Amino acid sequence: MPIFSQAATNDAAISRLINQGALEKARIVLEQGNPSKAERLFFAGRVLKAQGKLEDAINVFRQALQYEAEYINAKRELAHTLMLLERYDTAEQHFQALLSIDQNEHMRDGYRDFLRRIDQNKPIRLSGHFSVLPSTNVNRGTDNTVFDTTLGQFVINPESQEESGVGLQYGLSAYFRHLLDTKSRLSFNWAVSERRYEQKLFNSLIKRFAITYERMENKGDWFISPYYRHTQRNDNADNNAIGLHAGLSYRLDAKKQIIFSTKYENNRFLKQNYRDGKFSAFSTSLNHQVSPTFFISGGTGIVFNATDADHLKYTGYEIFSNLGKKWQGGLFTKFGIKLKRRDFFGIYPLTTHKRRDDFYQVSIETEYSRFDIEGFIPYLSCAYTNNHSNIPFYEYRVMDCQIAVFKSF
């Protein structure tokens, strides 16, 4: 045990000195441990990697493995350097091999993180998902029974009352990414997702296509993405949307990042023309990485919904906050809270006042990366939503959950 501790201490000291550029001091520490030929090559590879000479570093790490085929530190550095050079397929093979031989759970969590990062950055990606969607109020129905109007009191139709149910959702998505230069890329994205319920009225099918230009800078990045979306619904609310989404992130320091996002879209409803109109939204948030395993974020947003029908036009405001924690063992949890308000413009039909909604939502999400069966990753989220409105039809409470599995091909 003392020998192992000394070796680990020396390795940490060597890494720190290399990162500081103190190569001669690092070499002295190395020699104190009477290094083998493979260890000397490994040292040389780390120096080359720190200097940005990644191709040379890969060759040296491979030479080290020729001397000691089971040199796990060299395997780790080789896999990571291949990933940095965006040789994702080869890097993925090496990280998968490390998962099968390395029993250090801390390192295994790191391999899984790198594999997810590789999956997210591959030039071509196809993903699928399947979800079960239990809900206490599928139709966002009210528990009010009467509606006071200028013509008297009306009994609310039972079809507008809250109704529980369980839906199924499944879909595919894919993208193709093309690097334009070392700091920018162009992406082509498409997705199709379908929801089905026992009551077919709630069924829907969404198809989406987008083109995204991304630019990565030293202090952050930005993107702009025109998109098209087509939604088919069994409640006659079929619609098309053409929009533009843009965002900017900027690192204030090593732990803080500010994010701006804006969206504009033009909606056209095929059978409900009064809902046609333009929708725009803007939000800003601040993320703080308190520690490597814990973050907190919060922000504000404003939306404008300009439909042809005055009583459906509104300005909305929201504030939100999230806490995220990565636990030892591979479990990730996220807790969120959101407050919204919507002020409508026109007098609601059969009343003498404008509609106003006050909304709050509490949510929790969890993902367990170690529970990976043939590439399928489980995911669970639940959210409680309470929407208070001065128009009884729109006052509702609901608990929605999503029990899902995701897989990339």
Side-chain angles (χ1 to χ4, degrees):
M1 185 68 181
I3 295 174
F4 174 80
S5 299
Q6 182 63 39
T9 301
N10 286 350
D11 190 68
I14 291 169
S15 295
R16 182 173 63 255
L17 290 168
I18 289 174
N19 292 333
Q20 292 172 352
L23 302 184
E24 192 55 39
K25 290 182 180 179
R27 194 180 305 277
I28 292 172
V29 176
L30 173 72
E31 293 299 334
Q32 289 173 350
N34 191 25
S36 65
K37 176 67 173 178
E39 288 171 331
R40 286 193 171 92
L41 285 167
F42 179 61
F43 174 84
R46 284 197 289 181
V47 171
L48 290 167
K49 183 182 176 186
Q51 294 173 337
K53 300 174 182 178
L54 302 184
E55 289 282 4
D56 293 335
I58 286 172
N59 292 333
V60 174
F61 290 138
R62 285 176 170 157
Q63 289 177 41
L65 288 168
Q66 288 176 1
Y67 283 93
E68 291 185 27
E70 302 306 317
Y71 195 170
I72 196 163
N73 283 343
K75 290 176 182 286
R76 292 168 180 163
E77 289 292 344
L78 175 59
H80 187 250
T81 310
L82 286 165
M83 187 187 76
L84 293 177
L85 273 174
E86 299 184 357
R87 296 182 185 174
Y88 295 126
D89 289 339
T90 309
E92 184 177 37
Q93 293 173 10
H94 283 283
F95 281 125
Q96 291 288 5
L98 283 164
L99 270 177
S100 68
I101 63 174
D102 193 346
Q103 301 307 309
N104 183 319
E105 286 300 337
H106 177 72
M107 299 304 301
R108 290 169 65 84
D109 286 342
Y111 303 150
R112 293 186 185 98
D113 286 340
F114 286 135
L115 285 168
R116 278 195 292 271
R117 193 182 306 177
I118 288 171
D119 186 56
Q120 292 169 357
N121 286 283
K122 283 183 176 179
I124 299 177
R125 183 189 186 197
L126 175 65
S127 301
H129 71 272
F130 176 83
S131 306
V132 180
L133 307 171
S135 174
T136 61
N137 191 352
V138 178
N139 60 333
R140 301 301 189 263
T142 181
D143 58 2
N144 292 310
T145 57
V146 297
F147 177 31
D148 292 321
T149 74
T150 54
L151 300 178
Q153 190 177 81
F154 286 83
V155 175
I156 295 177
N157 191 312
E159 292 182 358
S160 297
Q161 299 287 324
E162 61 183 4
E163 183 173 342
S164 63
V166 178
L168 298 178
Q169 179 175 287
Y170 42 87
L172 288 172
S173 61
Y175 64 65
F176 169 74
R177 287 173 172 165
H178 175 66
L179 289 175
L180 301 175
D181 54 47
T182 57
K183 290 188 175 182
S184 60
R185 66 185 178 190
L186 194 64
S187 303
F188 301 88
N189 311 270
W190 66 264
V192 58
S193 179
E194 184 170 19
R195 287 192 178 191
R196 287 190 171 274
Y197 293 88
E198 184 177 356
Q199 285 203 11
K200 295 183 178 179
L201 180 68
F202 305 137
N203 292 353
S204 64
L205 176 68
I206 300 176
K207 303 173 184 176
R208 190 176 188 277
F209 176 78
I211 300 174
T212 304
Y213 173 79
E214 299 172 86
R215 179 76 179 177
M216 286 71 73
E217 303 290 351
N218 293 333
K219 280 287 191 176
D221 54 72
W222 60 272
F223 74 89
I224 186 167
S225 178
Y227 63 89
Y228 169 78
R229 185 182 67 247
H230 173 67
T231 305
Q232 295 175 230
R233 296 171 57 104
N234 281 14
D235 60 358
N236 292 324
D238 292 6
N239 65 86
N240 298 316
I242 297 176
L244 185 69
H245 186 198
L248 168 68
S249 65
Y250 184 79
R251 286 189 295 275
L252 301 175
D253 56 36
K255 293 186 176 182
K256 297 184 185 66
Q257 182 182 45
I258 190 167
I259 299 172
F260 302 96
S261 176
T262 185
K263 181 183 290 187
Y264 173 86
E265 66 181 38
N266 192 0
N267 293 286
R268 288 291 178 264
F269 286 77
L270 305 185
K271 298 179 182 178
Q272 300 176 350
N273 295 340
Y274 62 92
R275 296 178 64 180
D276 289 354
K278 298 175 175 60
F279 175 86
S280 54
F282 176 81
S283 68
T284 180
S285 62
L286 178 66
N287 294 348
H288 178 46
Q289 193 73 41
V290 180
S291 73
T293 61
F294 178 68
F295 78 87
I296 182 171
S297 67
T300 62
I302 185 169
V303 299
F304 303 96
N305 190 40
T307 63
D308 287 348
D310 283 342
H311 72 281
L312 295 179
K313 291 181 181 177
Y314 68 82
T315 300
Y317 313 90
E318 70 175 28
I319 59 174
F320 53 88
S321 182
N322 295 288
L323 302 173
K325 171 72 175 176
K326 184 176 180 181
W327 304 89
Q328 187 174 4
L331 181 66
F332 173 78
T333 56
K334 179 180 174 183
F335 173 80
I337 187 167
K338 184 181 294 185
L339 304 176
K340 286 185 180 182
R341 173 177 166 179
R342 289 179 178 177
D343 293 323
F344 290 78
F345 286 79
I347 300 296
Y348 194 82
L350 300 180
T351 72
T352 58
H353 52 270
K354 301 174 183 179
R355 175 182 160 192
R356 173 177 166 176
D357 291 357
D358 293 294
F359 164 112
Y360 74 85
Q361 182 181 83
V362 179
S363 64
I364 187 168
E365 304 175 38
T366 182
E367 182 179 322
Y368 188 37
S369 61
R370 287 190 187 173
F371 190 82
D372 182 342
I373 302 177
E374 298 299 325
F376 288 91
I377 305 295
Y379 168 85
L380 170 66
S381 69
C382 285
Y384 173 77
T385 304
N386 188 314
N387 191 70
H388 178 72
S389 178
N390 60 351
I391 303 298
F393 287 117
Y394 299 99
E395 190 163 86
Y396 67 86
R397 290 176 292 275
V398 59
M399 173 68 82
D400 289 318
C401 288
Q402 180 183 17
I403 307 163
V405 289
F406 298 87
K407 180 176 174 61
S408 297
F409 304 92

